[in-house]
Amino acid sequence: MSQILILDDRGTNRKILAQLAVSVEPAADVVTFGNPLLALAWMDENRPDLVISDYRMPHLDGAEVAARIRGKATGADVPIIVVTAYNDPVFRLRALEAGATDFLVSPVDHAEFRTRVRNLLALRQHQIQASQHAQALARDLEASERSRNALLRESRESLALLIDTVPAMISAADRAGKLVFVNARQATIAGSSPSELVGHDAVRILGQARLERSLAADAEVFASGLAMTGFEEEFSDNQGGSRTLITTKAPLRDGEGRVMAVVTTSIDITDRKRAEEQLIYLAWHDALTGLPNRPMLAERLRDRCAQDRRQDGAPFALHFLDLDRFKAVNDAMGHEAGDRLLRDVANRIAGVMGENDMVARLGGDEFAVLQSTLDAAQGAAQFALRLREALEAPFTILGRSVQVSGSIGITLYPQDATSAEELLRHADLAMYRAKSDGGRGYSFFDPVMDHTAREALQLEADLRLALVRGEFELLWQPQICLASDRIVGAEALLRWNHPERGRLGPAAFLGAAEETGLMTPITDWVLREACRQGAEWARLPGGGIRVSANISPSLFRQADVRQMVAAALDAAGLAPETFDLELTERVPMDDLEKVAGTLRELRELGVCLSIDDFGVGYSSLLYVKTFPVQRLKIDRSFVSQLPGNVVDAAIVAGVVSLGRNLGMRILAEGIETAEQLQAVRELGCDEVQGYFTSHPVPAAELERQLARSRAAMPTSP
């Protein structure tokens, strides 16, 4: 059973490393310390098989820990792995020179960690077996000279065999640089055999390039009698490739303790180095285009900002570019075409850049260009125009001509921001302004954008709290039947009692709710509260009235509308035929067939359906044709100029005629004067709603209006 010592001042890291170590050898005895001084004291009486140490710790760093372990009798030959988040090779070299056997960059790749731990534990077991074998041999040698000679011969053969199985290149050279031992792995790499190499100069296995440094290191070991900590070196193999080694030197003594040769052990870390280089490249570059990525751009911006603060440097501009209509290309032609388009866009942007400029892909269809030299804001505008022109020419993708454009946001240093994070955020805000203006253009950052963004963020947070705190309420506007002049329905109108801004209408917050995904829970609350109030009115003397609530078209993409309405009706105990769902026509609907299917399910449930704001929307007649509606609500814009406007009067009359032919009832919205009321009555409308009959009122007030309406009705003889 192996014993593994783990040193890390962070408990979480110790736990993770311990779990990884146990996954390599479940029976291993894992000992952990957060304080390296305590670990070193523990090693005075214990000899672990492997030490895993963090580099940066209080009291001692990883290099100092490795050096002190090597100075202990219990740690002279123990494998040591140093783990650190530093990418700088200086730290790796310090650790290796201090005595570390191996080096890992944090966060640790679990597969790589297990492989290295497994190999080093195996190497340690080989060392222990060799040591144990030598000790047993020494005891046997005391029995007789003959057996000692025989066992010595056997031990040498076994030791040679054992060394040949170690995954390292091992050799020994005397003071004259002659090879006295070469293991099989080293001989194979040199293109020879151990027997052919022993007795020859070390240049046979090292080559001229490595020989001088190796002999100098051997001379140092001969002079000091001490082992030399590992160092990295590169050499060319027989195939002309470059290999990287970690090499250590140790004295080989004779029976009288004199250094007779120096043992050189080299471990090939070429694959690990290449993997590290690849990981570093991927960490700083976009895999699709090969451009620098967001982290690399941010690092470059931080360096540039710091440099300019120290040297009072020249201003520069950051351009944030988002492709217009890229999703349409992806949807129509597939992701392969989209990827090719992104690579072609990257090439075109690179063709516009100056010598010291930098382009990065931030993700998706977003790019950023650091314009490093800038005389004035006009220079940034001209650069943005060149970017736009570069994208305007058609692209040929998979044999088809594709045309895209870009929305560009520009922020200036130091005018707009003095940090990388602010520059990126401000450029992003400016890009969204350019996109909201129709795309295919550019927009400079304005501090108002930042203020607006912060307000939107605060509005979102307040909206989420409003649901929890119960700050929403419903007001009710009665709907009057023109034939009887009595209240036959009431529309639920959402209001937000904001703790600081007072009562807010839906225009102030529903847009934010749509963007943040809060429309679903808000609508669910409205439906349940409207149904609850409708059920309460249904229990009044004389019965209830029809209650209606609006629903956003976007909700059909985000939620199961049929289930939401059914749950609200069931929870309140409201009859479905007394509930009217109003579909606003001011926002276009996606997938009309799917929406129509949901609406048919609601009609089968018994719910009434109306089209709100009829006549000013995107597809008035298409909605009437596709959806199973019972009521059309004529928009207030056609009523406001009645009775004087003959065009509006003709439109209202046309809607009334359409409704009559299709068996629908017609309600006129926005009635504010007696003249408007009389005009829509004469034009044939069935119902009205507006300030002239009543402003939106709380439920209690509408209940009183309903009582007065019923009391004023003539009684039957």
Side-chain angles (χ1 to χ4, degrees), residues 174-197:
D174 61 17
R175 291 179 183 273
K178 302 291 185 181
L179 295 170
V180 298
F181 174 81
V182 179
N183 77 338
R185 186 179 183 88
Q186 176 70 82
T188 300
I189 291 176
S192 185
S193 65
S195 61
E196 293 175 347
L197 293 171

Side-chain angles (χ1 to χ4, degrees), residues 505-538:
F509 60 87
L510 284 188
E514 291 269 12
E515 294 177 359
T516 57
L518 291 173
M519 185 59 77
T520 297
I522 290 175
T523 303
D524 186 62
W525 181 87
V526 170
L527 292 174
R528 289 179 178 273
E529 181 63 16
C531 289
R532 184 200 63 77
Q533 186 61 64
E536 186 174 316
W537 284 332

Side-chain angles (χ1 to χ4, degrees), residues 240-541:
S242 177
R243 313 294 296 179
T244 304
L245 306 177
I246 290 182
T247 299
T248 59
K249 300 277 188 177
L252 181 63
R253 301 180 186 274
D254 60 16
E256 297 179 2
R258 293 173 300 192
V259 179
M260 57 176 289
V262 174
V263 178
T264 301
T265 303
S266 297
I267 299 175
D268 191 335
I269 60 168
T270 305
D271 292 340
R272 191 190 82 188
K273 291 280 292 182
R274 289 172 181 169
E276 289 176 354
E277 292 170 358
Q278 181 66 14
L279 288 174
I280 292 172
Y281 180 84
L282 292 176
W284 294 101
H285 291 81
D286 171 53
L288 176 65
T289 63
L291 294 177
N293 58 12
R294 181 185 288 269
M296 188 171 181
L297 173 65
E299 187 69 18
R300 174 76 176 274
L301 287 172
R302 281 190 285 267
D303 290 345
R304 181 65 187 269
C305 292
Q307 175 186 352
D308 287 350
R309 283 194 295 270
R310 291 192 302 267
Q311 302 177 1
D312 191 23
F316 61 87
L318 179 64
H319 301 254
F320 196 115
L321 184 148
D322 183 272
L323 296 181
D324 303 323
R325 299 187 65 256
F326 175 74
K327 184 177 183 300
V329 175
N330 246 358
D331 292 344
M333 301 179 63
H335 289 290
E336 180 184 355
D339 289 347
R340 292 194 182 188
L341 176 59
L342 290 173
R343 286 192 289 266
D344 289 351
V345 167
N347 291 333
R348 290 213 186 161
I349 295 175
V352 177
M353 292 164 43
E355 181 179 355
N356 297 318
D357 296 342
M358 174 184 179
V359 57
R361 183 186 175 212
L362 306 184
D365 59 347
E366 293 180 341
F367 296 83
V369 180
L370 171 59
Q371 185 183 1
S372 60
T373 303
L374 187 68
D375 296 330
Q378 187 61 29
Q382 293 171 354
F383 185 85
L385 288 173
R386 292 200 299 273
L387 281 176
R388 188 182 73 179
E389 291 170 1
L391 298 178
E392 284 185 342
F395 294 84
T396 301
I397 307 296
L398 299 180
R400 295 175 59 182
S401 178
V402 174
Q403 199 149 12
V404 296
S405 59
S407 299
I408 304 170
I410 308 171
T411 187
L412 306 177
Y413 174 94
Q415 174 180 324
D416 297 332
T418 56
S419 72
E421 291 72 21
E422 286 186 330
L423 285 166
L424 284 165
R425 187 167 60 86
H426 290 175
D428 193 20
L429 291 173
M431 181 275 293
Y432 276 107
R433 171 61 62 83
K435 191 168 284 289
S436 66
D437 289 342
R440 196 184 169 275
Y442 66 87
S443 174
F444 281 91
F445 170 76
D446 188 309
V448 174
M449 299 177 187
D450 191 32
H451 178 71
T452 302
R454 293 180 186 277
E455 281 190 339
L457 190 63
Q458 184 61 49
L459 180 61
E460 178 184 352
D462 290 347
L463 271 173
R464 295 186 186 279
L465 286 175
L467 282 166
V468 176
R469 295 173 177 172
E471 294 173 356
F472 292 116
E473 71 167 331
L474 293 182
L475 298 183
W476 297 89
Q477 190 168 41
Q479 297 169 336
I480 311 299
C481 174
L482 292 178
S484 62
D485 289 328
R486 55 174 282 192
I487 298 174
V488 292
E491 180 182 359
L493 301 172
L494 181 63
R495 299 292 184 268
W496 178 11
N497 292 313
H498 194 283
E500 297 176 0
R501 299 167 60 186
R503 179 179 283 175
L504 301 178
F509 60 87
L510 284 188
E514 291 269 12
E515 294 177 359
T516 57
L518 291 173
M519 185 59 77
T520 297
I522 290 175
T523 303
D524 186 62
W525 181 87
V526 170
L527 292 174
R528 289 179 178 273
E529 181 63 16
C531 289
R532 184 200 63 77
Q533 186 61 64
E536 186 174 316
W537 284 332
R539 292 189 288 270
L540 294 174

Side-chain angles (χ1 to χ4, degrees), residues 31 33 84 109 121-122 147 170 270 360 410 425 489 527 556 600 642:
V31 181
F33 286 93
T84 182
D109 180 87
L121 285 176
S147 67
I170 303 175
T270 305
I410 308 171
R425 187 167 60 86
L527 292 174
F556 288 90
R600 283 192 291 270
L642 293 179

Side-chain angles (χ1 to χ4, degrees), residues 50-115:
L50 175 64
V51 176
I52 303 171
S53 173
D54 186 26
Y55 188 92
R56 185 173 183 178
M57 296 180 292
H59 308 299
L60 300 173
D61 63 23
E64 294 168 328
V65 168
R68 293 202 184 188
I69 289 176
R70 290 293 179 238
K72 293 182 177 291
T74 58
D77 54 357
V78 174
I80 302 172
I81 299 177
V82 175
V83 182
T84 182
Y86 294 116
N87 279 323
D88 194 327
V90 173
F91 296 101
R92 180 166 64 244
L93 188 57
R94 277 198 61 202
L96 294 174
E97 289 177 345
T101 310
D102 207 346
F103 188 91
L104 284 174
V105 177
S106 178
V108 172
D109 180 87
H110 291 184
E112 183 182 7
F113 178 89
R114 295 188 184 99
T115 300

